[in-house]
Amino acid sequence: MLKKLALVALIASASISSVFAEDKINGAGATFPAPLYYDWAFNYKKDTNNLVNYQSIGSGGGIKQIAKRTVNFGASDEALDTLELAKDNLYQFPAAIGSIVVAFNVAGIADEKLKLTNENVADIFSGKITTWNDPAIVANNQGLTLPNQKITVVHRSDGSGTTFNFTYYLSQSSKAWKEKFGTGKAVDWATGIGGKGNEGVTNLIKQTPFSIGYIEHAYKEKNNLSAAVLQTASGKWVAAKEENFKAAAKYATWTKEKHFHSVLALQQGDNSYPIVAATFILLPREGGEMNKKVIAFYDYAFKNGDETAKKLGYIPLPEDTKKMIREYWAANIK
């Protein structure tokens, strides 16, 4: 265990600007899948002696780094469309599916006990609902003792694919949010405090009583935080559980022609958790032999990493999606 932790720390802390070695792959980007990529990289090093150095810097940073060719691959939780990919001469494919939870820190309210409508969530993050005992929250939480305390909103301070997917969900849930704030990797927050990466937001929620924020499910699980029960697209209550993430993920539609571009939030189905998101890998189209090394790592992960993904709270890609990705590699990575 100590050896594994030491290697994970090495992978997480190595400098992006380090000189690339032939047996080392350098990537940077989304914090959303970072715990999964660290475990995959550890096992890949153990089995192949090849090192994958992944920097958890946020999707915005990952897109910038691969556009500048500072790294061998970028990672983003916001899928780029065909025009954006063409502009920076990039390929794109999904690596895993995760979920975003609305985590909170209110003493006396346990995990999966607090119900928030999707519009409640939008109103909290827009600053319209400011106290925990607001009538709009109380209405769906009879039996809970909701304190007369100010809500502290915690959001991302960096450009983030997690923010993109979360604000997409808010825009689809609230006309007022869509008109005032919209969807993006960064928005002009009306209230709250900012943390860098999923790690930063998680730590602020843990340290701040009466706070609420959005984080990837794996961070919630690792830190024993509580998450709200939300609503499906049809309005049914649904908890942040693996079976509900899977229920949403099965509706994902991918095409090789669009480089797997998709947004998975608010899928149909009575059990579909509303904030499910895929995370994507970006490769330079001129990457040549290094691209082959990157896809060798992800091919290894697709073959050997599903149990790790499940253990950490992610949803492995379906086998037919992996087959489509391998066809995409064969057609494009020469």
Side-chain angles (χ1 to χ4, degrees), residues 1-14 33-46 51-56 199 219 222 308 311-312:
M1 177 59 72
L2 290 176
K3 289 182 178 179
K4 178 173 181 178
L5 291 174
L7 179 57
V8 169
L10 173 63
I11 293 167
S13 63
L36 178 60
Y37 292 173
Y38 294 158
D39 263 33
W40 280 352
F42 172 82
N43 290 322
Y44 191 59
K45 177 69 167 66
K46 182 176 63 176
L51 179 65
V52 177
N53 164 35
Y54 184 71
Q55 293 291 301
S56 174
E199 302 96 331
Y219 291 85
K222 286 174 65 177
T308 294
K311 179 185 70 177
L312 292 173

Side-chain angles (χ1 to χ4, degrees), residues 52-333:
V52 177
N53 164 35
Y54 184 71
Q55 293 291 301
S56 174
I57 62 173
S59 296
I63 293 169
K64 289 177 183 176
Q65 292 290 348
I66 192 60
K68 293 177 181 177
R69 303 311 196 250
T70 310
V71 290
N72 304 127
F73 71 90
S76 173
D77 304 324
E78 177 192 0
L80 303 185
D81 63 30
T82 54
L83 292 177
E84 292 171 306
L85 291 167
K87 177 175 69 72
D88 288 324
N89 205 29
L90 298 171
Y91 295 125
Q92 172 179 265
F93 62 89
I97 296 171
S99 54
I100 299 165
V101 302
V102 177
F104 61 89
N105 179 355
V106 180
I109 302 181
D111 190 26
E112 299 181 13
K113 295 300 182 184
L114 177 69
K115 292 181 178 178
L116 295 175
T117 69
N118 296 336
E119 191 161 358
N120 286 162
V121 179
D123 288 346
I124 290 169
F125 280 82
S126 70
K128 182 178 178 181
I129 292 177
T130 60
T131 60
W132 281 104
N133 65 344
D134 187 285
I137 300 178
V138 171
N140 293 301
N141 290 283
Q142 301 300 321
L144 283 188
T145 301
L146 292 160
N148 182 21
Q149 294 286 344
K150 184 178 184 298
I151 298 171
T152 299
V153 168
V154 185
H155 54 74
R156 289 287 287 272
S157 61
D158 53 331
S160 158
T162 306
T163 297
F164 170 84
N165 285 286
F166 183 65
T167 56
Y168 175 90
Y169 152 77
L170 296 181
S171 292
Q172 298 301 308
S173 301
S174 166
K175 182 180 179 183
W177 177 276
K178 183 175 183 179
E179 291 177 350
K180 187 169 183 180
F181 302 98
T183 299
K185 289 192 293 294
V187 297
D188 187 13
W189 298 100
T191 186
I193 55 177
K196 186 174 182 181
N198 273 280
E199 302 96 331
V201 173
T202 299
N203 288 332
L204 283 172
I205 295 170
K206 289 174 65 177
Q207 296 164 11
T208 310
F210 308 110
S211 62
I212 191 168
Y214 58 97
I215 54 175
E216 206 282 324
H217 178 249
Y219 291 85
K220 177 256 183 186
E221 290 294 296
K222 286 174 65 177
N223 291 276
N224 296 313
L225 291 173
S226 297
V229 176
L230 304 178
Q231 290 176 305
T232 65
S234 60
K236 297 185 182 299
W237 295 110
V238 61
K241 291 184 175 181
E242 181 181 353
E243 59 264 31
N244 299 328
F245 306 152
K246 287 182 177 178
K250 73 180 182 181
Y251 291 104
T253 57
W254 316 100
T255 68
K256 291 176 285 186
E257 294 73 23
K258 291 187 177 181
H259 304 273
F260 302 92
H261 178 269
S262 65
V263 180
L264 304 184
L266 289 165
Q267 294 292 326
Q268 60 183 304
D270 286 346
N271 299 313
S272 295
Y273 187 76
I275 331 177
V276 169
T279 190
F280 297 85
I281 299 304
L282 301 169
L283 291 176
R285 295 187 183 180
E286 77 288 354
E289 290 302 311
M290 183 53 75
N291 276 358
K292 293 179 182 179
K293 293 181 180 181
V294 174
I295 67 173
F297 167 61
Y298 281 100
D299 189 52
Y300 168 91
F302 290 167
K303 291 174 180 174
N304 302 283
D306 285 1
E307 289 307 311
T308 294
K310 293 174 187 176
K311 179 185 70 177
L312 292 173
Y314 299 90
I315 306 299
L317 294 176
E319 289 303 321
D320 59 348
T321 301
K322 294 177 184 177
K323 180 175 181 291
M324 190 185 304
I325 292 169
R326 291 185 176 106
E327 291 170 352
Y328 178 81
W329 291 340
N332 294 293
I333 311 300

